[in-house]
Amino acid sequence: IERMCVSRNVKMATDLGELLVPYMPTIRVPRTGDRVFKSECAFSYDSPESEGGLYVCMNSFLGFGREHVERHYRKTGQSVYMHLKRHVKEKATGAAGGAIPRRRNGKVFLDLELNRDFNGDGYEYEDEAKLVIFPDHFEIPLPNIEELPALVTIACDAVLNAPSPYKKQESDSWEEEIQVSRHARSLRQQENGVRIPPSGWKCAKCEMRENVWLNLTDGSVLCGKWFFDGSGGNGHALEHYKETNFPLAVKLDTINPDGADVYSFDEEETVLDPHISEHLLHFGIDMLQMQRTESGHHTDNHVQPRVSDWEVIQEAGLKLKPVYGSGYTGIKNLGNSCYLSTTMQVLFSIPEFQRAYVGNLQRIFDYSPLDPTQDFNTQMAKLGRGLLSGQYSKPPMKSELIEQVMKEEYKQQQRGISPKMFKALVSKGHPEFSSNRQQDAHEFLLHLINLVERNSSGSENPSDVFRFLVEERVQCCQTQNVRYSQRVDYLMQLPVPLEAASNREELIAYESKRKEAEENMQPPPEPVRARIPFTACLQAFTEPENVPDFWSSALQAKSAGVKTSRFASFPEYMVVQIKKFTFGLDWVPKKLDVSVDIPDFLDLNRLRATGLQAGEEELPDLTPPIVIPEDTRAPEIDESSVMQLAEMGFPLEACRKAVYYTGNMGAEMAFNWIIAHMEEPDFAEPLAVPTYMEPDLPSPSLPSTSALDSQPPEESISILTSMGFPRHHTIQALKATNNNLERALDWIFTHPDCEDESEAMSDTADTEPNDNSYELFAFISHMGASTMSGHYVCHMKKEGRWLIYNDHKVCLSERPPKDLGYMYFYRRLSSC
């Protein structure tokens, strides 16, 4: 009998070997760099825990659910798949009622990252793996080492033990090739008091604003050349090194909590600086503080909690009723991925996105490339179907509910879907979104719209529902000539005017108490949140803003200019962002603590663009001269032109500035500059070439008394209002002219269109619907001190009721906190 069994085993092994012979050329052993998808289907959110398990192709190592594996077989002809199935069941209980400890019986051998979490001790797993040969579905149980060819056994073992495809391979990390600079440890920094602002940088020698580098020795801000990242410049950073031998520079727009891009001019290559945080702190850039704010779901330890944003926005303490089914599927948080989840939840509530991806799902899947994990449209369709099908949002069975109640573990939560594959694709190559740090939902929305546009060639572009044209009107303050232009935008950014707070007196009192407590080293008082009328935000949006470095083509010289923006067209869906985030002087992102009374209905008709008006004269269509001084240590000035002007009786320093700012283009051009600027208070002061642009820093997180007291002097307001001008118009004029009465009077006469604008803003909210009226249907809220930390949730209105989407949990909302939102989504009523 023993001899017969051995003979039968030999025959079985021979049969399996013969069976696999035709397919051996298609079976591969995963190599270094191959990604093995053994926890998620490329077209759905099926996993080994799903009813049909998961099929892993033994050639491409892509995973497919039972619904999609046949498509892959027909498209590729690949026949051999490994079928993975994990059975989840509750542990049996002993006589004492406790769970019987699971013995190590070899039944759990799959190293999987699954969509469903069973973290309690009351569950046990039993894993099953087998090879399946298509199209006949012939099954070979695994492990079957003795009966399979060696190559197949090695391939199966490698697949079963392969790491997650989302973990970065160390061999692929470019950082391994970068060496530590020999100057990093011994770098000596000058004590010159230089502090670098968090924005507004430009080269100190040519005013270039891109590819700008900070020298880590003396704090010089200068432009780069055609090196390192391919961006251009005039090479002033390299010239500075040749003059000073200061070796290290950091690219300013690459600084983040994890490091920055550092270049060594001496070593002529990109280098690592282990002391970069200390070197940047010398110039006021606190990287360590940036890292400390990035604390996941934790609030600032220095802020005394009231009823916190976390409780109000998440509606904590309320018994929220879970909802299930189509459109009510949650998204699991991968660790600071809620910015992505909330954005995608809102987008797939919009019919155009549903139609473009879920409506065309079969066509997208049928024509997907051989690697669908790298195809944007495929992954969008997969995510949309996952959210809208209801397949991953099913209520628990009645028996499960009864058992939970008996155990006092009533947690009626859905499992949601895991967006790992989607996040890996849309963040690929992006330095921020590819990290595990928290990000700005507003920036991610624009990033995703860009991806949608790039992948919609020849087909419907659903992001067009956000697209609108902005008309920008720029006016030269000296000549009153104007220029109209249009640009494309996708959202409306509203500033937050803290001086317009309705509880201004309360804020001033709080600020006084806070300073007093700080001086006496006492605990700070209970924080007070600024309450801002929405109409004040709209009014701030419509007000003229100064144009930095404005060059007037009418004067052919630099001058003062103002810009206003209006809507040349209106989108089907209007996204309104409240600009709550700013940067402190220490480079740490901060958030304004404000409450804005957001309206349910929005009428934007009064913000419609008008185009060139009767009586307006357009600025000539001329481009400004490019001024690049040859002498990098001092500006080049044509002294002969200076003397010609000085002989006319103008101050010498004013003449030097006129020649410099007109690019040494002759005395006549400089004379025009003098005529345009001779009334300015610093007209005759010496020429000062700035090292970099001082930033127009927004207000800090808590409004200061100075910010609240930024109203013009009441005496000046009274003088102008006594002439018959409206109060709001005089305030606007004084603010625009630095409280200069004479210039404010001129401003009022040259801006008659602003006279009724403030009152008009009150008509834009909560009005009766018309052609450009919108209704609020969703908003995304942020909790935490900055975009680099905290948590996002979104609220959406469906079927007349508000819901809260908080990661994988979807519930009916009891008190939607509309006043604390960050991004608001309005639907055009005429399109309903």
Side-chain angles (χ1 to χ4, degrees):
I1 294 173
E2 185 177 342
R3 190 175 298 170
M4 289 175 61
C5 290
V6 172
S7 176
R8 187 180 300 120
N9 288 339
V10 171
K11 185 176 186 304
M12 184 180 296
T14 303
D15 291 344
L16 288 177
E18 292 176 355
L19 178 67
L20 288 168
V21 165
Y23 309 107
M24 293 293 287
T26 67
I27 297 176
R28 291 200 305 117
V29 178
R31 298 188 297 266
T32 301
D34 282 339
R35 298 180 303 160
V36 179
F37 294 90
K38 58 181 181 178
S39 63
E40 181 181 353
C41 171
F43 293 102
S44 71
Y45 292 94
D46 286 348
S47 74
E49 286 185 4
S50 303
E51 184 178 351
L54 191 75
Y55 295 82
V56 179
C57 173
M58 293 301 292
N59 183 269
S60 66
F61 310 117
L62 295 170
F64 302 97
R66 186 165 60 185
E67 180 185 355
H68 302 284
V69 64
E70 292 279 359
R71 178 193 293 109
H72 186 258
Y73 162 70
R74 292 193 303 269
K75 178 180 287 189
T76 64
Q78 173 61 30
S79 298
V80 183
Y81 297 82
M82 179 184 290
H83 182 251
L84 303 175
K85 183 74 176 81
R86 169 166 284 184
H87 304 276
V88 183
K89 58 183 180 180
E90 282 193 281
K91 290 181 182 178
T93 54
I100 299 176
R102 184 184 60 196
R103 291 174 296 179
R104 292 185 175 273
N105 55 12
K107 290 186 177 181
V108 178
F109 55 84
L110 299 180
D111 179 19
L112 300 177
E113 296 181 8
L114 300 179
N115 289 331
R116 190 166 186 176
D117 293 325
F118 293 95
N119 297 321
D121 294 330
Y123 296 96
E124 62 181 357
Y125 315 112
E126 184 174 312
D127 295 337
E128 178 185 2
K130 53 192 174 186
L131 288 180
V132 179
I133 302 176
F134 282 71
D136 298 326
H137 290 265
F138 187 87
E139 297 181 355
I140 303 174
L142 297 175
N144 208 338
I145 298 175
E146 296 178 356
E147 300 166 4
L148 294 176
L151 175 66
V152 178
T153 300
I154 295 171
C156 291
D157 187 63
V159 168
L160 289 173
N161 292 285
S164 167
Y166 306 110
K167 291 180 180 177
K168 292 183 178 179
Q169 300 293 327
E170 292 198 11
S171 59
D172 295 337
S173 175
W174 63 271
E175 292 184 357
E176 296 296 323
E177 303 172 2
I178 301 178
Q179 303 299 316
V180 174
S181 170
R182 64 171 176 264
H183 301 289
R185 182 188 293 272
S186 59
L187 187 72
R188 301 183 68 175
Q189 296 180 281
Q190 295 182 357
E191 297 291 342
N192 52 14
V194 172
R195 289 295 180 267
I196 304 300
S199 61
W201 323 292
K202 63 182 178 182
C203 176
K205 297 180 179 178
C206 67
E207 300 191 1
M208 186 173 185
R209 297 180 185 275
E210 296 178 356
N211 192 24
V212 180
W213 295 72
L214 167 69
N215 189 286
L216 290 175
T217 299
D218 64 355
S220 297
V221 177
L222 300 160
C223 65
K225 203 159 179 72
W226 292 97
F227 58 83
F228 183 59
D229 64 351
S231 53
N234 296 313
H236 289 133
L238 180 59
E239 289 179 11
H240 185 68
Y241 162 70
K242 291 177 179 178
E243 295 170 3
T244 62
N245 287 324
F246 297 156
L248 299 182
V250 59
K251 197 165 189 281
L252 280 172
D253 61 1
T254 66
I255 298 172
N256 64 70
D258 293 334
D261 293 344
V262 181
Y263 188 83
S264 172
F265 296 107
D266 178 50
E267 296 156 283
E268 297 185 345
E269 63 179 352
T270 302
V271 296
L272 291 178
D273 180 2
H275 308 284
I276 185 63
S277 59
E278 300 170 23
H279 292 155
L280 289 174
L281 185 61
H282 182 80
F283 299 111
I285 305 170
D286 193 346
M287 284 180 62
L288 295 180
Q289 179 65 25
M290 292 168 72
Q291 192 126 25
R292 283 196 292 271
T293 62
E294 190 184 293
S295 55
H297 295 339
H298 294 88
T299 55
D300 190 338
N301 291 330
H302 300 290
V303 178
Q304 185 176 344
R306 57 198 149 192
V307 179
S308 71
D309 288 357
W310 296 80
E311 295 173 290
V312 176
I313 292 174
Q314 296 186 103
E315 304 185 53
L318 300 175
K319 291 185 178 180
L320 303 180
K321 181 182 178 181
V323 289
Y324 304 91
S326 174
Y328 302 123
T329 303
I331 300 178
K332 293 182 69 174
N333 196 324
L334 306 177
N336 289 326
S337 64
C338 48
Y339 67 90
L340 177 149
S341 302
T342 51
T343 302
M344 300 314 300
Q345 289 282 15
V346 175
L347 290 186
F348 275 110
S349 72
I350 296 174
E352 285 79 1
F353 276 83
Q354 296 174 1
R355 183 172 62 249
Y357 295 107
V358 184
N360 292 317
L361 182 135
Q362 286 304 321
R363 180 184 61 80
I364 292 173
F365 283 1
D366 288 342
Y367 289 95
S368 64
L370 291 178
D371 186 359
T373 68
Q374 299 301 301
D375 182 61
F376 178 78
N377 290 335
T378 299
Q379 294 307 309
M380 283 288 283
K382 168 185 169 178
L383 180 62
R385 185 170 185 263
L387 294 175
L388 299 175
S389 66
Q391 182 178 351
Y392 307 99
S393 176
K394 296 178 180 179
M397 302 294 289
K398 187 175 182 180
S399 58
E400 294 177 358
L401 290 177
I402 295 173
E403 193 170 350
Q404 287 175 358
V405 172
M406 295 294 292
K407 292 182 178 180
E408 298 182 351
E409 295 178 352
Y410 184 66
K411 298 178 180 178
Q412 200 173 2
Q413 296 179 0
Q414 57 170 274
R415 59 175 181 169
I417 57 177
S418 174
K420 276 191 174 182
M421 192 177 291
F422 179 78
K423 183 179 185 295
L425 177 62
V426 299
S427 64
K428 187 177 180 180
H430 194 285
E432 293 300 326
F433 299 136
S434 61
S435 72
N436 290 324
R437 296 189 297 270
Q438 186 63 275
Q439 303 298 333
D440 190 342
H442 150 249
E443 292 180 0
F444 179 74
L445 173 64
L446 294 179
H447 173 69
L448 193 87
I449 287 174
N450 184 41
L451 290 176
V452 170
E453 289 192 331
R454 281 162 45 189
N455 289 277
S456 296
S457 178
S459 59
E460 178 185 5
N461 178 6
S463 68
D464 281 344
V465 298
F466 299 122
R467 191 177 188 273
F468 60 91
L469 292 175
V470 176
E471 179 188 88
E472 290 187 342
R473 176 185 183 271
V474 177
Q475 183 174 35
C476 172
C477 294
Q478 271 68 38
T479 66
Q480 306 304 317
N481 290 7
V482 298
R483 176 182 295 117
Y484 285 88
S485 61
Q486 290 187 346
R487 61 175 173 82
V488 174
D489 213 332
Y490 293 90
L491 53 80
M492 179 185 187
Q493 294 182 297
L494 291 185
V496 180
L498 291 174
E499 68 276 4
S502 59
N503 58 336
R504 185 168 174 271
E505 291 76 12
E506 188 180 359
L507 289 166
I508 292 175
Y510 161 73
E511 186 65 16
S512 176
K513 291 179 183 178
R514 187 192 65 79
K515 288 183 178 179
E516 183 180 346
E518 189 176 293
E519 291 171 359
N520 298 326
M521 301 183 69
Q522 295 177 347
E526 186 80 8
V528 176
R529 177 175 290 130
R531 296 193 296 271
I532 312 296
F534 182 75
T535 53
C537 296
L538 278 178
Q539 175 63 30
F541 173 81
T542 63
E543 288 182 354
E545 57 179 299
N546 290 325
V547 180
D549 298 326
F550 175 70
W551 189 84
S552 171
S553 58
L555 300 172
Q556 296 190 32
K558 285 190 175 182
S559 177
V562 292
K563 179 179 71 176
T564 55
S565 300
R566 295 293 186 271
F567 290 93
S569 66
F570 292 91
E572 292 302 307
Y573 289 83
M574 175 64 73
V575 184
V576 177
Q577 179 205 9
I578 304 297
K579 295 173 69 174
K580 291 186 175 183
F581 293 106
T582 181
F583 281 90
L585 288 171
D586 55 2
W587 284 55
V588 178
K590 298 179 180 179
K591 187 170 77 172
L592 301 178
D593 187 12
V594 294
S595 165
V596 181
D597 60 336
I598 298 296
D600 288 320
F601 295 95
L602 188 62
D603 176 17
L604 298 177
N605 266 314
R606 295 184 182 274
L607 299 184
R608 183 186 292 277
T610 58
L612 187 68
Q613 297 295 292
E616 288 183 331
E617 185 176 347
E618 290 191 89
L619 285 163
D621 188 14
L622 300 174
T623 56
I626 298 175
V627 182
I628 303 178
E630 294 294 332
D631 188 349
T632 59
R633 290 163 296 182
E636 179 179 315
I637 297 176
D638 181 3
E639 293 297 337
S640 62
S641 297
V642 173
M643 295 311 299
Q644 288 184 51
L645 295 170
E647 289 172 359
M648 299 180 189
F650 298 115
L652 180 62
E653 289 298 336
C655 299
R656 289 175 58 80
K657 286 200 291 188
V659 173
Y660 171 74
Y661 283 121
T662 54
N664 297 305
M665 296 179 68
E668 184 178 352
M669 196 77 70
F671 176 79
N672 292 334
W673 187 94
I674 287 177
I675 298 302
H677 293 78
M678 61 190 309
E679 298 298 327
E680 295 179 1
D682 60 347
F683 174 67
E685 291 182 7
L687 170 65
V689 181
T691 56
Y692 52 80
M693 185 184 74
E694 291 292 340
D696 184 15
L697 290 174
S699 303
S701 298
L702 292 172
S704 64
T705 308
S706 60
L708 295 165
D709 288 335
S710 60
Q711 287 277 100
E714 194 62 37
E715 182 181 355
S716 300
I717 297 174
S718 300
I719 292 173
L720 292 176
T721 53
S722 66
M723 300 179 185
F725 301 113
R727 178 181 175 86
H728 73 273
H729 203 187
T730 61
I731 292 175
Q732 195 173 352
L734 288 165
K735 284 183 178 181
T737 58
N738 251 351
N739 299 325
N740 183 303
L741 276 173
E742 186 176 348
R743 289 170 59 197
L745 192 61
D746 291 338
W747 192 94
I748 290 174
F749 284 119
T750 56
H751 295 78
D753 56 320
C754 299
E755 187 168 339
D756 298 324
E757 206 157 84
S758 182
E759 287 86 348
M761 289 305 107
S762 62
D763 297 332
T764 61
D766 290 318
T767 59
E768 289 299 318
N770 57 52
D771 288 345
N772 294 314
S773 287
Y774 293 84
E775 181 180 9
L776 181 69
F777 75 94
F779 61 95
I780 293 174
S781 306
H782 174 268
M783 296 154 280
S786 79
T787 54
M788 301 174 67
S789 63
H791 182 53
Y792 287 96
V793 302
C794 72
H795 286 74
M796 281 193 282
K797 192 176 184 180
K798 293 185 177 182
E799 299 176 346
R801 57 185 186 175
W802 281 99
L803 300 108
I804 177 172
Y805 290 73
N806 188 355
D807 292 338
H808 63 282
K809 296 172 288 187
V810 182
C811 302
L812 290 176
S813 172
E814 295 287 337
R815 300 172 189 165
K818 291 184 285 186
D819 60 321
L820 298 179
Y822 174 48
M823 282 199 300
Y824 297 85
F825 295 79
Y826 284 85
R827 179 188 296 111
R828 196 171 186 174
L829 288 172
S830 58
S831 67
C832 297

